[in-house]
Amino acid sequence: MAEKEGNGEDGAVAEIEKKIIEAFEVFDHECNKTVDVREIGSIVRSLGCFPTEAELHELLAKVEEEEEPTGYIHLEKFLPVMTKVLLDRSYRPIPEDVLLHAFEALDENKCGYLTKDELVKYMTEEGEPFTEEEMEEMLSSALDPETNTVLYRDYISMMIVDEPEDLPQ
Amino acid sequence: MEHIVTDMGCNASIDDRAESKSEKAIKAAVLIQKWYRSTRARLEISRRYSLTIFQSIEYADEQDQAQLASFFTFMLERYADPDAVADASISPSVSHQADSYLTEYENIEVPDSYCGPRLSFPLTLADANALLHAFKDGQLLHAHYVLQLLCETRRVLKEKPNINLVSVSYSKEITVCGDLHGNLDDLFLIFYKNGLPSEKKPYVFNGDFVDRGRNSMEILIILFAFLLIYPNDVHLNRGNHEDYVINLRYGFSSEVLNKYKVHGKVILYLLQDVFSWLPLATIINKKVLIVHGGISNTTDLDFLNLLERNKLKSLMRPPKPEADREEQAKEGTPAARPSTCAANEHVTRKTRGVSSSGSTELSRPNSQSGPTLKEWKQVLDILWSDPRKQNGCVPNKRRGGGCYFGPDTTARLLERYNLKMLIRSHEFKREGYELTHGGKVITIFSASNYYEEGSNRGAYIRLNPDLIPHFVQYQVRECTDKQNYWERVKTIERSALQTLREKIFAHRSTLTEAFAKYDCNNTGKISVSDWAAAMESVLCLELPWRTLQFHLVKTDTDGKVDYMSCFHNMEIAQSTEEVQPALVETLCKYRKDLEIIFNIMDEDQSGLISFDEFRKTWRIFSSHLGIDAYDASIDKLAQSIDYNKDDYIDFSEFLEAFHVVHKRDKKPT
C-alpha cells in the first residue's frame, strides 16, 4: 500500500485504509491477511458502522464478487469495498433519540419499560431475529432483575459510548 | 404477530393504522437489533485490544527486565560488601557455605504459639491436607518447615534427570497444568475439579508457579509437598519465572520477604538452588514433550539431558566470556551465536564499565566452571520461546530471549525424536489453552483472571492413555456474577487503558520529542498517521493506535491530533511541581525497579531506610541509567514526604507519591 502523505483526499483515504487494516489485523489470527468470513460483521461494526444483517450480506457479496466463497476473506478484496463504505459514510450510527423512539414504538402501553417477554418476542421473532445467545446477552445487561423489566431509557444511557464518529475528510 | 384481517372496504382507516403499527414495530426491531449488534461488536473489539494492551506491556516489561538484569546483578554484588548494607541473599547470621543453608532449619525453633501445620517428614497425605486446609484459611507455614521442605525437595529433585521420562500406564490419565503465577484459587479449583495428585492421578506442572499472584509461596509449598509424597507421580518443569532475578521484579521475592521477615532471605537463597534443580522437560510415553516455553531450530534434547542444569541459577545472566571462549575452542564457532546477539546486546549495552560479571552464584566463588554459552542458550530457548504461525525460527524480540518457532521447526523436532506433540505454556490464552501448528503444539495456561477479573479462563489437559488431550476450562469468580458481561469488559478495558496511560506518561519526554519532530510549525497538532507512528516508535508496543485513539488523545474536527492532550488527564498523587518534570517521569518509569532496590537495602523490611542510604542508592541508580543525579531535588522530594523519625524516610510513601493517578472522568448523565 503506497503511503500518500499530504492534505486533502489522498491523505484522508490513506488514513482510512490504515484504520481498516488495523481493525482487520485484530481478527487476522493467522497473520496472513485473511479473516474468517463470520468475523466481517464484527470488523465492519468495529469501524463505527451500523449495518443491518441484510446490508452486511450485500457488502459481502461485493467483496466476494465473482469468486467461490471459501469461508475466508482477503484483505485486498475487503479494503476497497470498506474504504468506499467509510468514505460514503454508509451505515451511520443511530442517534440516541432515534433509538429511544424505537424502544417506545415497542412499548405499546407507554409505561417506560418493556417486559422481558415483550422484548424477547420482538427481538427473536421480528426484524432480523436474534440468536438465543444474542438474546441472553442483551438480557443480561438490559434486564432489571428486581422488576424483570427492561427500563430502556436507563439501558440506553448505560450503553451509549462516547465516541466521536467523524473520520478525516 | 397479530394480523388484523381486513373486511372488504370497511374499516379501512383502522386497518391502515394497525398495518403501520406493525410495520413500525418491525422497523423498530430492526433498528434495535442493528444497534445492539454494532454495540456488541465494538465491545468485542475493545475486549480484544484490552488484552493486547496487557500482553504487549507485559512482554515489553520482560524485555526491559532482560536489560536491567545485569544492573540488578551489579546492585546485589555491590551490596555484598560488608561495609554496605547486607546483600539480599545472604543474611549476616548465616555462614557462606552453600550446603550449610540446607540444615539451617534445624536451628529455627517453632514456638508453641504457632498453630499452623506442623509437618513431619517423610510427608504423608495428612500433611498435604493440613497444608491445603491451612492455606485456605490464609495461614502461613512456619519458616522452619518451609526450609525443611525445601531441603527435602532439593534432595528429591537432584535425583531426577534434566528430561523426565514418564510412563503412563494404560489405565491412567495424566493431567498437565500450565502457568499458575501465584493464583492459589486456581490450584484449589483444579484440585477440586480434577482431584488431588496421587499414584492414581499423576500430574505435570509446567512451570511459572510464582510471581504476580499473591500466593506464590503457598503454591510452591503445596507442589513440593505433593512431589515428596508421590515422587513418581508429580512432575514439575522449570519455567522462566523460576529464576531469582525475575522474581526480584515480578513480586515473588517481595512476597517471601514480606511473609517471612526474619528468614525470608534464607528461603530465597535456598530457592535459587531448588529452582535450578527443577527438571527442564518431561516426556510422556516417549511421545509427548512438555516444556515451559518451546523449542528452537537448534534444540538438542540429548545435549539438554546431559548438561548440569543446576549451574544455571538465572537465565538472565549469560555465561562468562571465558567459558564461551573455551567452548568455542572445543567446538568451533557455536551455532548459538546469531540468536543470542539480541539478548547479549541488551546486557552489554547497559553495563558500561561494570564488567558483565558472569558469576552465577554469589556464595560459591569459582568452585566449578559456569555453564557454557551453548548450554545457556539451549535452556533459554526451552524456557522462553513462543510458537508462531509462519515458518522459520527467529529471535524472540518481544521477550528479549528465546525464539519464535514456526510449524516447520516443530515438525522437524517431532520427527527427529519420534514425538507426537509438544505441550507448552508461557503464553496467556483467553480460553486457557490453544492449539497451533496443526494441533501439534498445545499451549496450556492455568492462571485464570490473569490480567484482571474476568480477563481469561484457565485450563488444564487430561491426557488419556492414547495421548488424546481433553481440555478442562475454569475461571475463578471473586463475586458471583455481580457484573454482567458488558460491565466486566468495560472493567478490563478501563484497567488496560490505565496501564497504557501510565506507560505513556513514563515516556513523556521521549514522546514529546517525537511528536515535535512532526510538528514543524509548532501548532500543537499533527496528523493521525504521524501520531500513530510516533507512539509506535517510542513505545514499541505494536498496538492498534488508530482504534485506541479516542481513548488516548483529543482529535479536532479536521482530523488533527492534539498530541499533548494525552498527558493531560494524568497527575501525580502528591504535588511535586517544584521538582524537575524529567525526574518525576524517571521515578514513575522506574518505580518498580526502585522498589526492588529498596527492598534489597531494607534489611529488616521495616519500610524505612536512612536518608543517606536513600541518596546513595539513588546516585548509583541514576548513574547506571546515565541520567543526572539530582541530589538537591531528591533531597527536597524526600523531605516533602512525612517521615516520623529523623533521617529516615518511609520509602513506600515516597514511591506512592510517584504513582500516576488518573483524573476521574465525569460520566455524562
Side-chain angles (χ1 to χ4, degrees), chain B residues 489-540:
Chain B
V489 175
K490 284 294 166 193
T491 304
I492 296 172
E493 188 189 30
R494 255 194 302 273
S495 181
L497 289 170
Q498 177 154 334
T499 313
L500 182 56
R501 288 191 190 112
E502 282 187 19
K503 197 98 178 140
I504 289 174
F505 187 83
H507 288 88
R508 186 164 66 171
S509 43
T510 331
L511 279 170
T512 309
E513 254 179 60
F515 292 146
K517 283 210 186 96
Y518 289 107
D519 184 15
C520 315
N521 303 325
N522 264 334
T523 57
K525 304 209 174 141
I526 55 178
S527 72
V528 177
S529 221
D530 292 338
W531 176 79
M535 295 295 278
E536 183 54 40
S537 75
V538 171
L539 296 173
C540 301

Side-chain angles (χ1 to χ4, degrees), chain A residues 5 15 18-19 22-23 26-27 29-31 39 41-42 45-46 48-53 55 94 98-99 102-103 105-106 108 122-123 126-131 134 137-138 140-141 155 158-165 168, chain B residues 1 21 24-45 48-49 52 389-390 484-487 490 527-530 532 543-551 557-560 668-669:
Chain A
E5 283 301 349
E15 221 4 81
K18 284 196 194 134
K19 185 143 194 227
E22 232 184 43
V26 173
F27 292 89
H29 303 295
E30 306 274 314
C31 300
E39 311 254 54
S42 304
R45 288 170 168 136
S46 72
C49 299
F50 287 70
T52 62
E53 295 289 294
E55 286 164 336
I94 300 159
V98 173
L99 187 59
F103 274 99
L106 301 182
E108 291 189 357
Y122 282 120
M123 294 293 105
E126 302 299 344
E128 295 177 327
F130 274 171
T131 61
E134 284 173 319
E137 239 184 51
M138 184 181 193
S140 78
S141 40
Y155 177 54
M158 181 180 89
M159 301 286 272
I160 293 281
V161 183
D162 281 0
E163 271 184 42
E165 296 299 340
Chain B
M1 182 84 158
K21 201 164 136 198
K24 244 178 140 185
I26 296 178
K27 283 209 182 116
V30 172
L31 192 110
I32 295 172
Q33 285 155 347
K34 88 173 174 180
W35 165 81
Y36 180 78
R37 285 177 170 130
S38 284
T39 310
R40 176 67 177 78
R42 303 239 291 284
L43 186 71
E44 174 60 21
I45 229 199
R48 285 189 196 218
Y49 67 58
T52 306
K389 304 269 179 0
Q390 301 101 310
N484 58 46
Y485 184 72
W486 177 268
E487 285 165 335
K490 284 294 166 193
S527 72
V528 177
S529 221
D530 292 338
L543 291 176
W545 296 110
R546 288 167 181 80
T547 315
L548 295 170
Q549 192 185 331
F550 310 118
H551 294 290
T557 44
D558 44 82
K560 292 282 190 179
T669 35

Side-chain angles (χ1 to χ4, degrees), chain B residues 294-312:
Chain B
I295 55 174
S296 79
N297 55 355
T298 54
T299 294
D300 181 342
L301 294 182
D302 303 307
F303 180 83
L304 272 167
N305 209 18
L306 291 174
L307 58 82
E308 287 176 70
R309 68 180 189 266
N310 67 308
K311 288 196 293 190
L312 289 152

Side-chain angles (χ1 to χ4, degrees), chain B residues 244-443:
Chain B
Y244 74 95
V245 178
I246 300 274
N247 298 150
L248 281 171
R249 190 167 219 237
Y250 289 100
F252 180 49
S253 301
S254 304
E255 183 190 320
V256 174
L257 293 172
N258 271 316
K259 285 179 177 168
Y260 295 96
K261 295 202 193 294
V262 180
H263 299 103
K265 285 177 180 153
V266 183
I267 292 175
L268 283 175
Y269 188 76
L270 248 186
L271 271 168
Q272 271 185 42
D273 204 34
V274 173
F275 282 166
S276 73
W277 278 112
L278 285 166
L280 301 171
T282 300
I283 299 184
I284 300 186
N285 291 1
K286 300 192 193 169
K287 284 292 166 205
V288 179
L289 172 64
I290 308 179
V291 292
H292 176 74
I295 55 174
S296 79
N297 55 355
T298 54
T299 294
D300 181 342
L301 294 182
D302 303 307
F303 180 83
L304 272 167
N305 209 18
L306 291 174
L307 58 82
E308 287 176 70
R309 68 180 189 266
N310 67 308
K311 288 196 293 190
L312 289 152
K313 293 285 186 284
S314 168
L315 288 177
M316 290 289 94
R317 300 149 81 180
K320 270 192 192 133
E322 293 92 77
D324 173 30
R325 264 183 262 129
E326 249 175 66
E327 192 64 21
Q328 261 184 297
K330 271 191 239 161
E331 296 189 6
T333 324
R337 190 49 90 180
S339 322
T340 48
C341 264
N344 270 339
E345 258 169 36
H346 290 155
V347 172
T348 48
R349 212 191 309 141
K350 283 290 175 187
T351 41
R352 34 158 116 209
V354 179
S355 67
S356 168
S357 76
S359 73
T360 46
E361 285 95 52
L362 289 165
S363 68
R364 288 208 282 156
N366 302 320
S367 50
Q368 282 170 2
S369 61
T372 65
L373 197 64
K374 182 176 177 188
E375 289 172 338
W376 172 75
K377 207 248 170 195
Q378 286 276 333
V379 178
L380 190 72
D381 286 341
I382 292 284
L383 262 37
W384 279 81
S385 299
D386 293 313
R388 67 169 195 176
K389 304 269 179 0
Q390 301 101 310
N391 277 331
C393 187
V394 298
N396 192 327
K397 279 185 303 193
R398 206 169 48 161
R399 297 209 197 240
C403 301
Y404 282 124
F405 62 99
D408 53 345
T409 311
T410 301
R412 237 178 290 133
L413 185 123
L414 293 180
E415 201 203 312
R416 180 174 169 193
Y417 295 104
N418 203 8
L419 297 164
K420 185 184 165 207
M421 69 170 136
L422 168 67
I423 298 180
R424 43 88 63 179
S425 304
H426 194 43
E427 272 184 301
F428 163 89
K429 292 296 168 196
R430 202 207 150 203
E431 293 300 316
Y433 73 96
E434 190 174 89
L435 285 97
T436 187
H437 293 188
K440 297 262 184 286
V441 173
I442 299 177
T443 302

Side-chain angles (χ1 to χ4, degrees), chain A residues 58-70:
Chain A
E58 270 172 39
L59 193 152
L60 261 175
K62 282 197 206 127
V63 174
E64 287 179 321
E65 198 175 37
E66 289 171 26
E67 278 193 6
E68 286 295 317
T70 58

